[in-house]
Amino acid sequence: MAASMPALYAFQERSTDNWLGLAFAPIDLAEGRYGGLFTSMLLHGSWAHALMNAVGALTFGAPVARLFRGTVGVAVFLALYICAGIFAALGYGLVHWGSTDPLVGASGAVFGLIGAATRLLGGGGRVLPLTSRAVIRTSVAWMAVNAVVGLIGFAPGVDGARIAWEAHAFGFLFGILAIGPLARSFAGPDERFDSPPGLGDPRA
């Protein structure tokens, strides 16, 4: 999935229209066009933008992917990623209702993975509760950095474009909330923490 981002951008960069017809703009919601909520995730604004999201997906997607097993696990992981991206674009569209500025990039989906991973890091293969102090501290830190970067407008590959920090926040929110029920329904047992059958109290 991470490799697909620079690969798709290589095709996008060579297209005649830069695939802008696949971008999402908030005005699309008012005019009944919803395809861009998904297709905008396939686009990026520059090589740096695509590579940065690829690194983010690889880094934070790994602990999430390890939580699920088999073919069903792959489907659940991809569903989490795609739905986080759609929710991120939708949230951005509602905040900026009527705007014609295009939104591109998989950052919202990647932040969904970051949100999900926030409840896994330090959990020993298990999902930490939302009320965990570690989860709360990490979430506050992520959103503070996200808001500062968004408001300052400084990030690699931006090239003067506006950073959709609101989409990042919506994606993060989706991921951190969705990972709980998804783990309860689909997570496979982690062999590292399984007890062998017949385990009893140690004897001297």
Side-chain angles (χ1 to χ4, degrees), residues 111-112 114-115 118 135-151 165-174 176:
F111 263 85
I114 293 174
T118 296
V135 171
I136 294 172
R137 284 197 303 266
T138 305
S139 299
V140 170
W142 269 116
M143 289 301 95
V145 171
N146 177 49
V148 169
V149 170
L151 294 174
W165 64 273
E166 303 95 334
H168 301 168
F170 278 104
F172 184 92
L173 179 64
F174 183 92
I176 202 170

Side-chain angles (χ1 to χ4, degrees), residues 95-110:
V95 170
H96 297 279
W97 185 265
S99 171
T100 58
D101 293 335
L103 173 72
V104 298
S107 302
V110 171

Side-chain angles (χ1 to χ4, degrees), residues 20-40 86-104 162-167 170:
L20 287 180
L22 300 178
F24 169 73
I27 197 171
D28 292 344
L29 298 178
E31 297 181 353
R33 297 190 301 270
Y34 306 110
L37 292 172
F38 169 73
T39 57
S40 61
I86 291 174
F87 187 78
L90 178 61
Y92 178 86
L94 293 175
V95 170
H96 297 279
W97 185 265
S99 171
T100 58
D101 293 335
L103 173 72
V104 298
R162 184 182 182 278
I163 298 174
W165 64 273
E166 303 95 334
F170 278 104

